[in-house]
Amino acid sequence: MVTASDLSVAQGFLGQFENLDAGYTFYSSDPQWQVMATGLGSAAPYSGSVADLSLLTHEILDANAGGNPSNGWTGLTAGPANGAAPWGSRPSIDAAARWVWYSSNGAADPTTPGFDHDEWLVFRIAVAATPTVPEPGSLPLLALALGGLGALRRRR
């Protein structure tokens, strides 16, 4: 996901992605996401032209080698949940999704106020990623299983 901002007001990436084959839902704040900063300002390559794809490829290879402002691919920093100011609610995205961005200056919430966090940024997640948190419906089963294991340990 290629992103950029105007470098002066709130910026963020918010998303909800459905893996229809596996039945998984991923949010932009899933810790499996990685981000890299290019340091090239707000002129991100969005056109799909040969020149833009060449630039994007160069930046990805640079990140793979650790030669960019973020020193390669790194973890993202989560900001407020969907519905927070200044963006308001995005009705097609669950309230559990959080706005995220790269923090170049150590800010706990790099989404506000605006700041040049070595943008433009590229976010990625592995194609084979699976959710890191159990689905809410599986939590009672997990608790039951863990409770059963505890009972087995006490009997020994």
PDB file of all heavy atoms in Angstrom, residues 10 24 59 63 72 80 84 111 129 145:
ATOM      1  N   ALA A  10      -3.001  16.126   9.780  1.00  0.00           N
ATOM      2  CA  ALA A  10      -3.164  14.718  10.140  1.00  0.00           C
ATOM      3  C   ALA A  10      -2.979  13.788   8.950  1.00  0.00           C
ATOM      4  O   ALA A  10      -3.407  14.082   7.840  1.00  0.00           O
ATOM      5  CB  ALA A  10      -4.545  14.509  10.755  1.00  0.00           C
ATOM      6  N   TYR A  24     -10.395 -14.742   6.922  1.00  0.00           N
ATOM      7  CA  TYR A  24      -9.719 -13.875   7.885  1.00  0.00           C
ATOM      8  C   TYR A  24     -10.025 -12.414   7.596  1.00  0.00           C
ATOM      9  O   TYR A  24     -10.159 -12.019   6.443  1.00  0.00           O
ATOM     10  CB  TYR A  24      -8.206 -14.038   7.815  1.00  0.00           C
ATOM     11  CG  TYR A  24      -7.677 -15.403   8.149  1.00  0.00           C
ATOM     12  CD1 TYR A  24      -6.607 -15.925   7.445  1.00  0.00           C
ATOM     13  CD2 TYR A  24      -8.210 -16.166   9.180  1.00  0.00           C
ATOM     14  CE1 TYR A  24      -6.091 -17.176   7.749  1.00  0.00           C
ATOM     15  CE2 TYR A  24      -7.707 -17.418   9.478  1.00  0.00           C
ATOM     16  CZ  TYR A  24      -6.645 -17.911   8.763  1.00  0.00           C
ATOM     17  OH  TYR A  24      -6.140 -19.140   9.064  1.00  0.00           O
ATOM     18  N   GLU A  59      12.594   1.603  -4.581  1.00  0.00           N
ATOM     19  CA  GLU A  59      12.418   1.885  -3.155  1.00  0.00           C
ATOM     20  C   GLU A  59      12.191   0.612  -2.341  1.00  0.00           C
ATOM     21  O   GLU A  59      12.662   0.495  -1.215  1.00  0.00           O
ATOM     22  CB  GLU A  59      11.281   2.886  -2.941  1.00  0.00           C
ATOM     23  CG  GLU A  59      11.594   4.273  -3.465  1.00  0.00           C
ATOM     24  CD  GLU A  59      12.854   4.864  -2.842  1.00  0.00           C
ATOM     25  OE1 GLU A  59      13.034   4.762  -1.611  1.00  0.00           O
ATOM     26  OE2 GLU A  59      13.657   5.438  -3.592  1.00  0.00           O
ATOM     27  N   ALA A  63      14.572  -0.737   0.583  1.00  0.00           N
ATOM     28  CA  ALA A  63      14.092  -1.105   1.920  1.00  0.00           C
ATOM     29  C   ALA A  63      14.514  -2.523   2.280  1.00  0.00           C
ATOM     30  O   ALA A  63      14.906  -2.788   3.425  1.00  0.00           O
ATOM     31  CB  ALA A  63      12.566  -0.985   1.985  1.00  0.00           C
ATOM     32  N   GLY A  72      15.112   0.030   6.482  1.00  0.00           N
ATOM     33  CA  GLY A  72      14.439  -1.195   6.046  1.00  0.00           C
ATOM     34  C   GLY A  72      12.975  -1.172   6.426  1.00  0.00           C
ATOM     35  O   GLY A  72      12.386  -0.122   6.667  1.00  0.00           O
ATOM     36  N   PRO A  80      -5.320   6.424  16.765  1.00  0.00           N
ATOM     37  CA  PRO A  80      -6.681   6.237  17.280  1.00  0.00           C
ATOM     38  C   PRO A  80      -7.505   5.249  16.460  1.00  0.00           C
ATOM     39  O   PRO A  80      -7.172   4.938  15.317  1.00  0.00           O
ATOM     40  CB  PRO A  80      -7.276   7.642  17.193  1.00  0.00           C
ATOM     41  CG  PRO A  80      -6.495   8.326  16.125  1.00  0.00           C
ATOM     42  CD  PRO A  80      -5.108   7.743  16.173  1.00  0.00           C
ATOM     43  N   ALA A  84     -12.349   8.284  15.340  1.00  0.00           N
ATOM     44  CA  ALA A  84     -11.695   9.378  16.059  1.00  0.00           C
ATOM     45  C   ALA A  84     -11.536  10.616  15.174  1.00  0.00           C
ATOM     46  O   ALA A  84     -11.525  10.527  13.950  1.00  0.00           O
ATOM     47  CB  ALA A  84     -10.326   8.923  16.559  1.00  0.00           C
ATOM     48  N   THR A 111      -0.074  10.065  13.794  1.00  0.00           N
ATOM     49  CA  THR A 111      -1.124  10.478  12.859  1.00  0.00           C
ATOM     50  C   THR A 111      -1.494  11.948  13.016  1.00  0.00           C
ATOM     51  O   THR A 111      -1.980  12.557  12.081  1.00  0.00           O
ATOM     52  CB  THR A 111      -2.385   9.608  13.005  1.00  0.00           C
ATOM     53  OG1 THR A 111      -2.947   9.787  14.307  1.00  0.00           O
ATOM     54  CG2 THR A 111      -2.067   8.142  12.764  1.00  0.00           C
ATOM     55  N   ALA A 129      -0.213 -14.300   5.711  1.00  0.00           N
ATOM     56  CA  ALA A 129      -0.457 -13.888   7.095  1.00  0.00           C
ATOM     57  C   ALA A 129      -1.785 -14.433   7.596  1.00  0.00           C
ATOM     58  O   ALA A 129      -2.742 -14.570   6.844  1.00  0.00           O
ATOM     59  CB  ALA A 129      -0.453 -12.363   7.189  1.00  0.00           C
ATOM     60  N   ALA A 145     -10.678 -24.527  26.649  1.00  0.00           N
ATOM     61  CA  ALA A 145      -9.529 -25.418  26.454  1.00  0.00           C
ATOM     62  C   ALA A 145      -8.454 -25.144  27.493  1.00  0.00           C
ATOM     63  O   ALA A 145      -7.899 -26.061  28.083  1.00  0.00           O
ATOM     64  CB  ALA A 145      -8.959 -25.248  25.042  1.00  0.00           C
TER      65      ALA A 145
END
